[in-house]
Amino acid sequence: LRVLRQERSHSKWVLKPQDTAGGVGVVLNASDSDIEAFEFKEGRSAILEELIEGRGELESPTLYMIGNTPCGFLGDQLLVGPASHGNRWPAYHFSETLMQSCFKAATAVQQVWQLQCAWCLDFVVDSCGDPVIVDINLGRPIGNFGMRLWEGARETRLFLHTESYILPL
């Protein structure tokens, strides 16, 4: 973090454990003490990434793909801080320009990596209104992916809102 701060002194940072889902364990605006307290043990790592400052309410579109084909419209990840409160699909409130920018980014990723599987890009929208890739999910159905495929095989249009819960032990 000290090296990153020297290169980008104005930036804030996000600490993302690689073994998490739904934002559990993610630390926004991570400090040196957060990183020192993180338990790097065998098989466990984390990603430190720049915190993207948005235009107020965090906009976090998601785009599901199969190979080089988008599975319909953008979805909207419902985030409160780092925690996921599910997602909504389709997210018609995103502009056509934003949707095309996300499609263009996904096409570029697919062309380089030649992905053939089910995969997904998660974005956040920065203060200029541009999407920034913050996560990629490869080779596994996530969120409401199955429902999107089911809808795609029929004439029916669905509106989905999925949520995730942490159940008490």
Side-chain angles (χ1 to χ4, degrees), residues 82-97:
S84 174
H85 286 235
N87 63 62
R88 190 174 294 134
W89 182 81
Y92 294 119
H93 65 280
F94 291 127
S95 71
E96 181 67 24
T97 302

Side-chain angles (χ1 to χ4, degrees), residues 26-76:
V26 173
V27 179
L28 299 178
N29 200 12
S31 65
D32 290 336
S33 60
D34 292 319
I35 294 167
E36 290 167 10
F38 185 80
E39 293 183 34
F40 289 97
K41 50 189 171 188
E42 189 173 330
R44 186 167 194 237
S45 62
I47 297 168
L48 190 62
E49 66 183 37
E50 188 172 6
L51 178 66
I52 306 300
E53 299 283 353
R55 296 180 290 190
E57 184 177 325
L58 181 64
E59 295 177 284
S60 187
T62 184
L63 177 60
Y64 290 39
M65 304 282 290
I66 296 179
N68 65 354
T69 305
C71 292
F73 295 96
L74 293 174
D76 187 11

Side-chain angles (χ1 to χ4, degrees), residues 113-124:
W113 288 359
Q114 295 296 302
L115 300 170
Q116 301 300 313
C117 59
W119 62 288
C120 174
L121 285 179
D122 295 340
F123 301 86
V124 293

